[in-house]
Amino acid sequence: DLEAPSGLWTFPSGKLEAGEKEAEAAIREVMEEINLDIAPYIDDMQHVNAISTDLEAPVKLFIITGLPARLPVKPNVKKEVAKIA
C-alpha cells in the first residue's frame, strides 16, 4: 500500500457501492472522511477526468464551488484523518 507523506492532503477516494452513481459516491466519501455534506454543491457535469499516477487508473475529480471559505470539518470515521489544520 502507498501512503501519502505526513501532513499532506489527498483527494477522498473509494469504490462505488452497488447501484451508486459517481457523484453519490463522491458525496458519501467526503462525508465519511471529513464530515462535510457536499450534496448541495455537487454538479455531475462539473468534473475533470484524469489518470491516477498511483493506481494508473482513470479517476473523476468533481469541481465543487460555492462552499463557504471557513468550514467546520472533522473526521467522521475513526482514524480516517489524523489531523486537520
Side-chain angles (χ1 to χ4, degrees), residues 14-53:
K15 298 191 184 323
L16 290 173
E17 294 181 355
E20 190 174 45
K21 295 179 182 174
E22 291 170 313
E24 294 168 338
I27 292 165
R28 177 180 50 77
E29 287 293 335
V30 171
M31 180 59 82
E32 286 176 3
E33 295 194 23
I34 62 171
N35 200 34
L36 176 64
D37 183 11
I38 62 168
Y41 306 99
I42 198 166
D43 178 349
D44 191 41
M45 300 302 293
Q46 298 290 324
H47 65 271
V48 174
N49 292 316
I51 301 292
S52 167
T53 55

Side-chain angles (χ1 to χ4, degrees), residues 8-9 30 32-35 74-85:
L8 297 180
W9 286 85
V30 171
E32 286 176 3
E33 295 194 23
I34 62 171
N35 200 34
K74 63 180 181 188
N76 199 29
V77 177
K78 188 176 182 179
K79 295 187 179 181
E80 190 72 34
V81 178
K83 176 181 164 185
I84 294 178

